[in-house]
Amino acid sequence: MRSDGTMVTVREATLALLRAHRMTTIFGNPGSTELPMFRDFPDDFSYVLGLQESVVLAMADGYAQATRNAAFVNLHSSAGVGHALGSLFTAHKNQTPLVVTAGQQARSILPYDPFLFAERATEFPRPFVKWACEPARAEDVPAAIARAYHVAMEAPCGPTFVSVPVDDWDRMCASIAPRAIASRNPGDPAALREAAETLAAARRPAIVVGAGVARDDAWHEVVALAERHAAQVWVSPMSARCGFPEDHPLFAGFLTAAREPIVASLDGHDVILVLGGPMSLYHVEGFGPHVPEGARIVQIADNHGMLAWNPASTGIVADTKLAVATLLDATAPPVRPTPAMPARKPDLDGRVFDDRYLLQQIARLRPADAIIVEEAPSSRGPMHDYLPITRENGFYTCASGGLGHGLPAAIGVALGRPGEKVIAFLGDGSSMYAIQGLWTAAQLRLPVSFVIANNHRYEALHHFGRHFGLQDMVGTNLPAIDFCALAQGQGIPATKVAAAGDLDAALTASFTATGPTLIEVVID
């Protein structure tokens, strides 16, 4: 219903709602049950086509993180949702706000098990969505999408899901007025006062930063808090974002996702403030204590579940930016000596042409405002050593451990951060999970430098296999993949580099290009 009292179609009401919430970019790969949504598609909307639904959802994930607003995704019934489930799992772990819709067959034929319908549609994407709905009536679709948006945006953010029968879009309904809902939680004042007093009284405090620092836009506040308390800053295990400049004198390093190394790294700190993420995220079995002896853990996060299982002495549910601002308003602590910085890794000369040298040269040659999107699991350690992230909102990676996120996420980030260079540092195995994303980057002429470290195998599994004492890793070799041919076949200029002497020129050309490029780097 418009302001003059006339009814509108479900499609018109939904598009008006999306417009009001700044969701005019739709990511999809359409099927027959979705087509009526796009009748008379408005000029102020854009449709970003991906060639497979997992790519579509990962592009939307990167876009939503870059814009700090929920992205709208349109999938094809059960088949499309099934294709996208791996990326949906990653978006769930990334705490990315997404409104995911999928087509459903017409209501009148649902009793007959029709072709391409979604049986138990709302159950299929669980548990990786916060809320799921197939509205009981066509006229309820706009209200369901409105609720999906607000639930997705409420901390902890995450994907939501709405199944829409194909004949709903042309039905008539009343329009729905958009609502503004304030949901940022500043935290319990008494608990934050106690946390501030605990931190001020510490002999040797430390701070552990998780991805929530970046999600909550708390970079500057955390830097100020660390400097105020002369506290060493560690990055939580497997953090998908950067919450502190890695060239800062107080930066101490990265916690390993295992119990004993975490305790060893933090040993000697009497108060450990954990912000925006877990301190104790494990990838392998461990034994012994979860925290250093005598240490008090104060954790601030937007996730009740995380606080429930982390070994925190005090847990506070809050928006990181607002909570740290409160901590900064507290009484100043005593002057403490500045801790010594960790030793810097020696420069490499390229005689060994490995991922360490490649990452060192990317760091040296990248534009100052470049954004790094990474999915090269076996190179994460060398990246920490040789490619420091030094700018706010300058790093994105996958929180789930699943592959196929990085390449399309880089496309979404580039769409959400127009005018900024994006460098996608990818492994060869990771790239093949979403290689058709290159086509979208080419069509949109996005300034993404895809740098693929090609070691001809799933190197991360070789590292992990040694943990289990395996001598022969079955099914891990990847010979005879020509990434340059794959890129050129989708419209992207590509260069292969197999020697250190050719690397700098290739990187420089790619980093100064205005459109997408790909460099395949064959490393030892």
Side-chain angles (χ1 to χ4, degrees), residues 180-252:
I181 299 178
S183 61
R184 296 184 70 178
N185 176 13
D188 179 77
L192 288 169
R193 280 197 302 272
E194 181 182 346
E197 291 167 2
T198 299
L199 192 59
R203 174 183 50 81
R204 188 182 171 217
I207 298 174
V208 176
V209 295
V213 171
R215 285 194 302 268
D216 292 343
D217 193 26
W219 172 283
H220 297 289
E221 288 80 0
V222 172
V223 171
L225 188 69
E227 292 174 348
R228 186 175 200 180
H229 288 274
Q232 285 190 306
V233 178
W234 297 82
V235 176
S236 66
M238 303 291 187
S239 180
R241 301 285 297 276
C242 179
F244 194 82
E246 295 170 14
D247 58 349
H248 193 283
L250 290 170
F251 182 71

Side-chain angles (χ1 to χ4, degrees), residues 52-55 57 73 75 79-89 100:
Q52 206 265 8
E53 285 93 341
S54 65
V55 171
L57 202 137
V73 184
L75 305 176
V81 175
H83 287 156
L85 276 181
S87 292
L88 188 66
F89 169 58
V100 181

Side-chain angles (χ1 to χ4, degrees), residues 13-37:
T14 299
L15 292 174
L17 182 71
L18 297 180
R19 186 179 288 113
H21 289 306
R22 298 178 291 109
M23 300 173 69
T24 55
T25 300
I26 296 177
F27 295 84
N29 181 275
S32 56
T33 53
E34 292 74 51
L35 290 178
M37 178 185 178

